[in-house]
Amino acid sequence: MMKIIHTEESVKMRRKKMTALLLSALLLIGSAGFALADEDNTDTSDEQTQSESVDNDTGDDTQDADTDGDSDSSEVTDGEQDTNDTDASVSGDTIYMEDTALTPPDIVGSQAAILIDSDSGRLLYGKNIDVKLYPASMTKMMTAIIALETGDLAQTVTVPYEALQTVNFAEDSAMGLLTGEELTLEQLVSAMLIHSANDAANVIAFHLGGNMDAFVETMNQKAADLGMTNTHFVNACGSHDDNHYTTARDMATLAQYCMKNEKFRDIVKTVVYKIPQTNKYTLEAERTLVNTNLLLGTIRSLYQFYAPATGIKTGHTSQAGYCLAASASFSDMNLIAVTMKCDQMDEHDDPYTYADTRSMFEFAFSNYTHQQLAAPGDIISSSPVYEAKNDSRVALTIQDALTALVPSNIDSSVDIIRTVDVPEHIQAPVAKGDTIGAVTYTYKGTQIGSAPLISTNDVEMNHFLHVFHIILKVLTSPFFFIPVILLIIIAMYMRHLRKKKERKRRIQQLKKAREEKEAEASGINNANYRKTERIDRQRKNTKDSNSRYRK
């Protein structure tokens, strides 16, 4: 019996071992299959990525086609992708989200994209915003703002031959300027921004700078002044050059600055611009120039019109891909979006820059709202006042309503931090309306609003206390205390000198008295001595006389 039982147990053990081996084999086969599938997927993804990175040299009438370069590289250098804020790397891209709880916009075709609040410059969303890329005709924003700030828009400009030498009228976006043609500077700036006219940009550069190199130096200096640290310009229109580059962040900075100029805003939102006949252009009654930005109207495209859009500038070369700096306003919200290096077209044969831009705008309009941070009359702080009558305090408020763009889903009382900066020493008297300190509001470490604080009440001075403090201040002041100490030290020293002199005089007097006593004593002794001598002589003389008589 024991032998049979032993045999059955042995069979069971062998079966268990076989089962374990079969399971292990199945797991190994499954792992190998998944690994092969992953490799296939990786290969497919790499092929797709490589196909997307190939430059699309096909021009499109809906964007400006600038001078094509020989290089097919879309990225200028190994772009720094550093951001000081929260970011997440997705498929090799550096993504920034101010509020990571929100669903990010769907950026389909643009290699770099950025969305900012136009009023404050606050970054709301970003993708590869510090990667150096080519700006193409977005360059003309810089040319335009320099012209608007330094030129006379009413001045007549004569087109020089040198300005047209580098323009390829067969391929470049141009308005067809002629050598010697006369237009106003305002007409040239408008044609450059609206129709993306390369020839107009060059004429502006020669008019304001004397030559292209001098004007480009002004452009780069302006970029440095604006903090565009990853930007370098080589020409005024954005024609391709390997050393002509920027970033999405820098373009957003430039766009925000330009949109503060009222004339610039009026020009970039114009859909159709007409220039009458000139001294050279007489083929038609007027030149009709249509804005290259499809977001602004339906003349060029029925599909891309976006009602909230208010500008700004398109761009395209084969090396830069399709680029767009756009602005939009809705519900007291002003936004700026920039997309760069887009080589994909949508189902309407329009660049995906428009879809990506609308996606960013809708992301902000759907998830953000303007919230009032403080209103005039709200007591922001109450501070003690030095030397105030009746120990009165000053109440501080703001002069104008303060609002900020914040996510709709936040708890402002918790997520928005208020910081009050008030001097520790507020001196009476205080007049109503005096500016005393400032208040700052931050969200996730980013400043979203600030305002000066003004007093809401008068505070009188306690004059008795004021005089007392002056006296006390004088008495305890180093300028008073140190001289007093010095005077005391000098007085003590003088007293010491006097005592020393007096002691010396007394010593001398005592010495003199002692000498006189000694002298007096010596005189007495001498007199006694002389008297004794005289007596002795007398005695001797007497003795001698007696002796003589005896004889």
Side-chain angles (χ1 to χ4, degrees), residues 161-459:
Y161 171 73
E162 295 81 6
L164 305 180
Q165 281 184 303
T166 59
V167 180
N168 186 339
F169 287 94
E171 298 180 2
D172 290 1
S173 177
M175 62 180 293
L177 291 174
L178 304 171
T179 301
E181 187 172 2
E182 296 178 350
L183 299 93
T184 65
L185 181 60
E186 181 176 357
Q187 289 173 329
L188 291 170
V189 173
S190 299
M192 176 184 65
L193 287 175
I194 296 170
H195 194 63
S196 197
N198 285 8
D199 46 358
N202 287 1
V203 172
I204 292 171
F206 275 83
H207 171 67
L208 295 177
N211 58 69
M212 184 61 71
D213 291 339
F215 185 77
V216 167
E217 185 177 347
T218 303
M219 294 173 68
N220 286 320
Q221 183 57 54
K222 187 69 173 181
D225 294 342
L226 294 177
M228 300 167 60
T229 56
N230 290 315
T231 294
H232 184 263
F233 295 116
V234 174
N235 55 67
C237 64
S239 296
H240 177 71
D241 188 289
D242 287 347
N243 203 32
H244 189 102
Y245 56 82
T246 188
T247 65
R249 188 199 293 268
D250 282 359
M251 281 293 101
T253 299
L254 175 60
Q256 183 202 11
Y257 177 79
C258 290
M259 290 298 283
K260 294 177 181 178
N261 186 293
E262 183 178 2
K263 187 63 178 180
F264 185 93
R265 293 196 304 271
D266 291 339
I267 294 174
V268 296
K269 69 181 180 182
T270 302
V271 179
V272 178
Y273 184 70
K274 297 181 179 181
I275 301 177
Q277 287 184 346
T278 65
N279 63 321
K280 292 286 186 176
Y281 186 85
T282 58
L283 296 177
E284 299 176 354
E286 57 188 7
R287 281 187 176 100
T288 301
L289 306 177
V290 180
N291 203 311
T292 57
N293 187 352
L294 303 186
L295 297 176
L296 296 176
T298 59
I299 296 177
R300 289 180 177 268
S301 173
L302 297 175
Y303 307 104
Q304 305 300 344
F305 174 70
Y306 188 64
T310 58
I312 304 172
K313 188 70 196 76
T314 59
H316 174 253
T317 65
S318 60
Q319 296 83 5
Y322 289 97
C323 305
L324 176 63
S327 59
S329 297
F330 177 74
S331 187
D332 296 328
M333 201 181 306
N334 300 307
L335 305 172
I336 288 175
V338 175
T339 53
M340 299 184 69
K341 185 51 185 171
C342 178
D343 293 323
Q344 297 185 35
M345 311 296 284
D346 63 16
E347 66 273 17
H348 306 296
D349 291 331
D350 293 327
Y352 257 111
T353 50
Y354 295 107
D356 291 345
T357 298
R358 283 197 305 272
S359 179
M360 285 190 286
F361 285 152
E362 288 302 313
F363 162 78
F365 291 145
S366 301
N367 293 288
Y368 282 80
T369 183
H370 264 288
Q371 186 173 119
Q372 182 169 279
L373 303 176
D378 292 347
I379 304 303
I380 307 298
S381 176
S382 178
S383 301
V385 179
Y386 186 68
E387 295 180 346
K389 191 174 183 179
N390 300 324
D391 293 330
S392 301
R393 299 173 68 90
V394 60
L396 303 175
T397 187
I398 60 174
Q399 186 170 4
D400 301 314
L402 185 62
T403 62
L405 191 65
V406 295
S408 309
N409 60 346
I410 68 169
D411 183 353
S412 58
S413 62
V414 176
D415 297 325
I416 297 178
I417 307 300
R418 183 178 73 181
T419 303
V420 177
D421 183 14
V422 176
E424 293 183 3
H425 181 89
I426 302 175
Q427 176 65 50
V430 176
K432 183 179 180 179
D434 285 352
T435 299
I436 305 175
V439 60
T440 302
Y441 294 87
T442 57
Y443 171 68
K444 290 188 177 297
T446 301
Q447 180 176 313
I448 59 175
S450 64
L453 292 174
I454 60 173
S455 61
T456 62
N457 59 298
D458 297 324
V459 178

